[in-house]
Amino acid sequence: MYKDLQAIRGKFYIHRLIEEGEHEHQDFKFKISDARKIARSISAFANNDGGRLLVGVKDNGAIAGIRSEEDLHVIEAAAEVYCRPRVTVEMQAFLCDNAQVVLRASIPRAERRPVECLEEDGSWKAYYRVADENIAAHPLMVRAWRMTECADYAGGIAYGASEGELLGALERRGLASVEDLMIDARLSRASAEDMIVRLAAAGIIGFEYRHPRFMLTVNS
């Protein structure tokens, strides 16, 4: 039935993974039917530190097993057609209880970010994995990722009085929105965003998700 999967014994291994629950690096999928939705998960894991999908596992952790090899082909389509750049997903099938097969799809951290996925309206959007959710990446995160991938990016940042004001404001607040920093550092939106992008690309500041949005923080 699963001629392309070559399932290996892994009952206890899969149960150990399931005991972890869904988290920043793991997601359960009862079945795979929508390549676009899977592409969002692939994008989110790739833009964070990687992760895995356990296919054939219900949200409550119960093993249902995959129904056909179509799940494998939908994941391949999601990674290769609905993601840019393409993502190489490593897949392995494990034989569990009652001859049920669970598919582990491992997504590596992207060497070049952002990894974007194709939305239904034809646009491309980058996602980021936060706890057990796939969250649309903040536009400034995406700009910072793109900056680090530019051929002429040399790293570091020209540090002046305005950057000092912005960082000082962020250190005082601990967590802040772009709007907070605009006011505190007396900057226009365009100037504040440009500085945030440069500081984030240099690794000086980062983004922390606090529902329902990303906030800015100084990296330790």
Side-chain angles (χ1 to χ4, degrees), residues 171-191:
E171 287 174 341
R172 288 191 295 274
R173 285 181 176 268
L175 287 171
S177 66
V178 176
E179 291 75 17
D180 292 334
L181 298 182
M182 287 168 53
I183 295 169
D184 290 359
R186 299 179 296 279
L187 295 167
S188 68
R189 175 173 288 276
S191 295

Side-chain angles (χ1 to χ4, degrees), residues 49-69:
D49 284 324
R52 58 182 169 262
L53 302 173
L54 294 183
V55 185
V57 178
K58 296 181 179 180
D59 288 343
N60 63 4
I63 294 176
I66 61 174
R67 294 294 182 260
S68 75
E69 291 187 17

Side-chain angles (χ1 to χ4, degrees), residues 14-48:
I14 292 298
H15 277 290
R16 284 199 300 273
L17 293 184
I18 290 173
E19 286 174 3
E20 296 178 9
E22 294 181 302
H23 52 69
E24 184 174 308
H25 304 295
Q26 181 164 280
D27 200 3
F28 300 158
K29 294 294 180 185
F30 171 47
K31 62 180 179 179
I32 303 292
S33 58
D34 189 328
R36 280 193 174 89
K37 288 183 179 179
I38 295 303
R40 290 174 184 169
S41 293
I42 293 172
S43 167
F45 283 131
N47 288 326
N48 195 321

